[in-house]
Amino acid sequence: MTFFDAHTHTISSDENVFSIVNTYPNSTNFTNAFSVGIHPWFINKENLDNELLIVEQKLQEKNCFALGECGLDKITKTDFELQKTVFKNQILLSEKHKKPLIIHCVKAFQEIIEIKKMIKPTQIWILHGFNKNLQVAESLLKNGFIVSFGAAIINNKKLQDVVLNISLDNILLETDDSEVTIQEVYQKIASIKNIEVKELQQKIEQNFKRIFKR
């Protein structure tokens, strides 16, 4: 069975792994399944219009699975109001081209939720690399988000408690830029949930196909 990696920066050599590779407008390789977006760390006012055009072009390619990662980050130096403007522009592209949104969020969960309530998107929003507490997870799930777990699940006890207490119906798994393999993430989640890895694979495959409509 397949291991689905919903957000990664590297392609696995394992033929049993299906990866969505994160790319940016200035990336040069779009041959594999990919997502594309303008990350809040890399917003450049001078290039913004051109980069949004590139994102829109790439969204129309057959092997583009999602828009992202994009979002809000209160730690980065990028002006927060500019971040919100760029995020909203990308939400509109996600809606126009019917692609799910992969979201990067640092200390801005309330703002992300408020924007979602205001815009009322039809496309699914995925909060990638989730590493907060159960209260935040439940708030996101209540507001219709998909929560994606990565390498932090291996050693983070509080995050393991989150996984233990939420349904598998609205989660994805990922490796992002870590050296942890997607198989290790699956094994840890299966162990927390006290299920077989194969059962988890079936569940994540169902989620993946529903979210990315393939």
Side-chain angles (χ1 to χ4, degrees), residues 36 55-56 59 65-68 70 87-102 121-125:
V36 61
V55 169
E56 180 158 25
L59 286 174
F65 278 64
L67 193 157
C70 61
F87 181 46
K88 288 173 183 176
N89 284 337
Q90 293 184 93
I91 293 167
L92 295 177
L93 290 178
S94 160
E95 291 295 298
K96 180 180 177 181
H97 296 286
K98 296 181 168 50
K99 302 284 184 180
L101 205 64
I102 296 176
T122 62
Q123 296 307 299
I124 292 173
W125 288 18

Side-chain angles (χ1 to χ4, degrees), residues 57-85:
Q57 289 168 0
K58 293 298 176 186
L59 286 174
Q60 298 172 68
E61 295 189 10
K62 191 175 181 181
N63 54 338
C64 180
F65 278 64
L67 193 157
E69 57 186 293
C70 61
L72 302 177
D73 188 323
K74 286 189 174 175
I75 292 179
T76 191
K77 292 178 181 178
T78 310
D79 177 78
F80 195 65
E81 289 305 312
L82 178 59
Q83 288 186 50
K84 286 199 280 189
T85 298

